[in-house]
Amino acid sequence: MEPVRDIYPSRTGECEKILNRMDPVVYGDSTSAPEFGLKQNQIEFYEDNGYLTIPDFMPEVVPDLIAEMDRMKEDLAGDETLVTEPDSGEIRTIFKPFAHSDVVDQLSRDPRILDKVRQLLGSEVYMMQSRINVKPAFKGKSFPWHSDFETWHVEDGMPRMRAVTVWLMLSENTEYNGPLFVVPGSHKKYVACSGKTIEKNYETSLKKQVLGVPKPETMKEVLANSDIKGLYGGPGTLVFHECNLLHGSPDNISADPRSILMFVYNSVENRPVEPFGGQPPRPHYLSNPDVAPLKPIKLS
């Protein structure tokens, strides 16, 4: 099989570059919205900014999800799908929660979410990755500026920018407890990072990311034409986050923990190929090998 041409080269050992995006942001036909689809003004905001926040979307599901999160912390203790903080040893991330919780699995296929995702990506989708991110009070550490697509492209072989992360706030996200910061509009460019991917980079990057992180001078150039936006909200707030949007988060310096549940939906027309960084594919909990289209659940 002829190798897929890499139109987004990164970590090739060359100097860092800011390249033009070569893919659409919205793939679907906005003139024919599904039952639970986004409104035209929401689609336009997402296309322009690279994210969309829907406050108070489904707060009723949060208590059961928190109970499932607490259960998985205990049931999966010592499992490779649990990642701890680099300093304190407290839980930082639970990967692939949909495989361990019917509650999470059903939510990932809820048509109130799935309709919107398929509308944006213009195709059937599968669950490429899922996680629960936890930032303990006082001890939750930062995530540096990065584009998810850069990592998924280099380390997982995602060929094009045709994926979206949808995440639900499980706790209050404030300016003090390590919220997500985004650079609106940054998804329209692509930062080809310097460096070279090392073998099993994920074993350290999940605790502290170094590769795939734009240099300060690059971020200074990016931020010359854009502001930083903090994404705040109460439990049940839903966020759509374009795969190439530059984002990061600071330490949690407050007494309030912060938790979010994330689903990464990838188009079935954008299935991964051999990783462009030259390393073997990452484990199943980081890039799901099951690329079957998700079947929505029936709402009662």
Side-chain angles (χ1 to χ4, degrees):
M1 182 183 295
E2 188 174 333
V4 176
R5 185 171 72 92
D6 186 358
I7 64 170
Y8 294 114
S10 186
R11 305 189 213 170
T12 61
E14 299 181 1
C15 295
E16 201 157 273
K17 299 177 183 177
I18 299 178
L19 307 175
N20 289 323
R21 182 190 181 109
M22 300 180 69
D23 291 311
V25 176
V26 175
Y27 288 79
D29 180 5
S30 61
T31 61
S32 54
E35 181 180 1
F36 298 105
L38 294 167
K39 298 176 182 178
Q40 184 60 34
N41 66 316
Q42 292 175 312
I43 294 173
E44 291 173 357
F45 184 92
Y46 174 84
E47 188 167 27
D48 289 342
N49 294 278
Y51 74 95
L52 176 69
T53 301
I54 306 179
D56 201 36
F57 185 73
M58 42 175 58
E60 72 280 1
V61 306
V62 171
D64 285 346
L65 290 169
I66 291 176
E68 287 293 272
M69 176 182 70
D70 292 339
R71 178 188 62 79
M72 283 186 280
K73 284 181 182 179
E74 294 187 9
D75 291 354
L76 298 173
D79 192 89
E80 62 180 348
T81 58
L82 260 65
V83 177
T84 56
E85 289 286 351
D87 301 323
S88 67
E90 295 198 33
I91 297 296
R92 178 179 176 93
T93 305
I94 303 172
F95 279 102
K96 212 173 180 178
F98 66 89
H100 304 286
S101 167
D102 289 340
V103 175
V104 174
D105 174 59
Q106 290 180 18
L107 182 65
S108 73
R109 296 182 290 111
D110 190 311
R112 292 172 293 177
I113 295 175
L114 208 52
D115 272 6
K116 296 174 176 62
V117 169
R118 293 189 293 192
Q119 182 185 21
L120 291 173
L121 299 183
S123 71
E124 294 295 322
V125 299
Y126 73 95
M127 182 65 62
M128 181 256 183
Q129 187 191 105
S130 178
R131 61 167 75 180
I132 296 175
N133 277 353
V134 182
K135 279 199 175 179
F138 300 117
K139 297 179 181 179
K141 295 301 181 182
S142 64
F143 290 84
W145 290 115
H146 66 284
S147 152
D148 288 333
F149 174 76
E150 193 273 347
T151 293
W152 298 336
H153 182 72
V154 173
E155 299 189 37
D156 297 322
M158 181 183 285
R160 309 298 291 255
M161 297 177 183
R162 196 171 180 179
V164 60
T165 298
V166 181
W167 52 278
L168 186 73
M169 297 183 187
L170 301 182
S171 58
E172 191 80 23
N173 283 230
T174 72
E175 59 187 309
Y176 307 112
N177 65 350
L180 196 77
F181 290 138
V182 300
V183 182
S186 61
H187 63 302
K188 297 177 182 179
K189 298 289 184 178
Y190 174 69
V191 178
C193 295
S194 58
K196 282 250 186 182
T197 307
I198 60 175
E199 185 177 357
K200 295 185 177 180
N201 176 58
Y202 59 88
E203 291 184 347
T204 54
S205 69
L206 297 178
K207 290 178 177 284
K208 184 178 181 180
Q209 187 172 354
V210 176
L211 293 171
V213 175
K215 294 180 180 296
E217 53 266 32
T218 303
M219 285 306 304
K220 185 175 181 180
E221 184 176 346
V222 170
L223 292 169
N225 299 307
S226 184
D227 296 325
I228 295 173
K229 172 72 175 178
L231 303 188
Y232 314 131
T237 296
L238 196 71
V239 178
F240 289 79
H241 174 166
E242 208 278 333
C243 65
N244 187 47
L245 184 70
L246 285 170
H247 62 287
S249 63
D251 291 353
N252 183 356
I253 60 172
S254 78
D256 300 316
R258 169 186 173 263
S259 300
I260 59 175
L261 168 62
M262 305 175 73
F263 298 126
V264 178
Y265 297 95
N266 189 27
S267 168
V268 296
E269 298 175 17
N270 193 39
R271 293 181 176 93
V273 296
E274 287 295 317
F276 292 93
Q279 298 292 336
R282 296 195 297 173
H284 65 94
Y285 57 90
L286 297 178
S287 184
N288 185 11
D290 183 358
V291 296
L294 292 176
K295 295 181 179 180
I297 62 169
K298 292 182 178 180
L299 296 178
S300 57

